[in-house]
Amino acid sequence: MSDYYGDQAAFKSETLGRWPEMTYGGILSFLRRPYRRDLTGVDVAVSGIPYDSAVTNRPGARFGPRAIRAAATQLAELKAFPFGFDPFEVLSVVDYGDCFMDPHHPESVIESIQSHIATILKAGVIPLTLGGDHFVTYPILKAQAEQHGAIALLHFDAHCDTWDDDGTRFDHGSMFLRAKREGLIDVDHSVQVGIRTYNDSDHGFEILTAPWIHRHGIEETIKRIKARIGDKKVYLTFDIDCIDPAFAPGTGTPVVGGLSTAQALGIVRELGSLNLVGMDVVEVAPAYDVSEITAIAGATLAHDFLCLLAEKKGAQRFPIGHI
């Protein structure tokens, strides 16, 4: 048994398959994936961006990547639900570690994040990023647009993040207006989901508010998302405060009336037909969490994104019961 347990999966060199580990022990890589910077043969690189200096309320999302990794241990234990397969039989995934930023030179942060993601993209690898506050998505989009041109944005959030922006501010509530103005995103094919704060302009985005989703349901939401995005390359950004604080209290700017965890997962799990080029989960702030429920929600959303990519590589769903 000593050869079976305690293999320290994070130190493995293989990027396919999985290895047994105590859920309460071992090195906390995301889903027990091996830590690796060599991206040869890799499909997805998971990395953290521990930055939260652009917040407008409570800080603490810099600890989000660490919390999400810790919350992912149980998800690495069994086949994926409701998919019924092991995504790592077909999908090569590594934990790329965290993006290094010099907090004493804030003017360098955007370039540091953009360069970090660009390195992953230039290797032909899809980035899955753990924030950090939502401002980190802006330099990610700069790297994505450099690689792919203007892309669609699928934005789950309580907030529109398109309030007035002066082009230079570090603000997690205005960066998507800047991204639009800089031509990083194609708003004609972009959707904001779960919004429940007010802005005088939608700036061209289709907005599916949280009350609309509560009235019309998951299936209609999925139809509207797919119709809007079509076959455009799309980046999925998920601010955890899209989920109601009853289910995800560990965040800096909670807003009541949001989606349940079940609603959020029900939508994301049906987006595999989209041309996904990356994802982030941001704004998990563990200091305000309760029993890790916010971090677990974030880890599950990121895990399910990997399952969507595994399906694209040939993994077959084998659901059980009535799903």
Side-chain angles (χ1 to χ4, degrees):
M1 295 297 288
S2 61
D3 291 334
Y4 187 71
Y5 290 102
D7 275 346
Q8 299 293 347
F11 296 129
K12 291 282 189 181
S13 60
E14 300 92 340
T15 64
L16 288 169
R18 70 170 83 210
W19 309 273
E21 191 95 63
M22 294 180 293
T23 55
Y24 47 86
I27 305 301
L28 292 178
S29 62
F30 183 70
L31 294 171
R32 305 295 194 184
R33 303 320 299 158
Y35 276 111
R36 186 167 141 181
R37 284 288 167 117
D38 178 3
L39 295 177
T40 305
V42 172
D43 296 309
V44 183
V46 183
S47 66
I49 302 183
Y51 175 84
D52 66 0
S53 294
V55 297
T56 52
N57 193 26
R58 304 186 302 198
R62 67 182 62 185
F63 299 108
R66 188 180 297 173
I68 293 171
R69 285 184 174 102
T73 55
Q74 286 191 98
L75 294 168
E77 193 177 20
L78 301 170
K79 288 183 177 180
F81 180 88
F83 302 91
F85 57 67
D86 177 356
F88 306 122
E89 289 183 356
V90 298
L91 197 69
S92 173
V93 180
V94 300
D95 193 319
Y96 196 68
D98 285 350
C99 172
F100 177 78
M101 297 155 289
D102 188 339
H104 307 295
H105 288 283
E107 73 282 355
S108 68
V109 166
I110 291 175
E111 169 58 28
S112 295
I113 298 172
Q114 182 178 350
S115 177
H116 174 85
I117 298 298
T119 299
I120 295 170
L121 290 170
K122 287 174 182 175
V125 176
I126 292 175
L128 170 56
T129 308
L130 314 176
D133 72 43
H134 213 161
F135 184 77
V136 305
T137 306
Y138 169 67
I140 293 173
L141 289 174
K142 286 174 71 71
Q144 288 278 1
E146 188 177 55
Q147 182 78 11
H148 299 298
I151 56 176
L153 184 69
L154 177 53
H155 171 205
F156 288 79
D157 207 321
H159 310 87
C160 59
D161 294 344
T162 52
W163 287 292
D164 289 342
D165 186 90
D166 62 8
T168 61
R169 64 193 291 119
F170 284 64
D171 185 344
H172 70 163
S174 66
M175 68 285 172
F176 291 144
L177 180 57
R178 190 188 311 181
K180 174 196 172 181
R181 288 172 172 167
E182 293 182 0
L184 307 181
I185 54 179
D186 176 359
V187 294
D188 292 336
H189 292 87
S190 296
V191 189
Q192 295 181 315
V193 181
I195 306 299
R196 51 195 187 277
T197 48
Y198 187 78
N199 192 335
D200 287 334
S201 174
D202 61 18
H203 293 288
F205 289 89
E206 179 168 3
I207 299 177
L208 306 179
T209 67
W212 186 92
I213 295 168
H214 294 321
R215 288 196 304 272
H216 294 275
I218 291 173
E219 295 303 321
E220 187 62 27
T221 302
I222 294 166
K223 289 179 184 177
R224 293 288 288 267
I225 290 171
K226 290 182 176 181
R228 176 76 168 186
I229 295 172
D231 61 358
K232 285 282 294 184
K233 291 180 178 178
V234 58
Y235 184 82
L236 197 168
T237 181
F238 199 106
D239 187 325
I240 205 68
D241 70 27
C242 181
I243 299 175
D244 191 87
F247 303 95
T251 192
T253 50
V255 182
V256 299
L259 305 190
S260 70
T261 311
Q263 285 175 305
L265 292 172
I267 297 167
V268 170
R269 286 170 174 168
E270 297 303 322
L271 299 179
S273 64
L274 298 179
N275 189 3
L276 297 160
V277 296
M279 179 189 185
D280 62 55
V281 178
V282 296
E283 298 283 357
V284 172
Y288 316 108
D289 209 356
V290 177
S291 299
E292 294 185 291
I293 60 174
T294 311
I296 291 169
T300 305
L301 288 160
H303 166 274
D304 287 1
F305 174 75
L306 294 177
C307 290
L308 298 181
L309 299 181
E311 284 189 299
K312 288 181 181 294
K313 288 205 71 178
Q316 298 291 315
R317 290 199 193 195
F318 294 100
I320 59 170
H322 299 283
I323 298 175

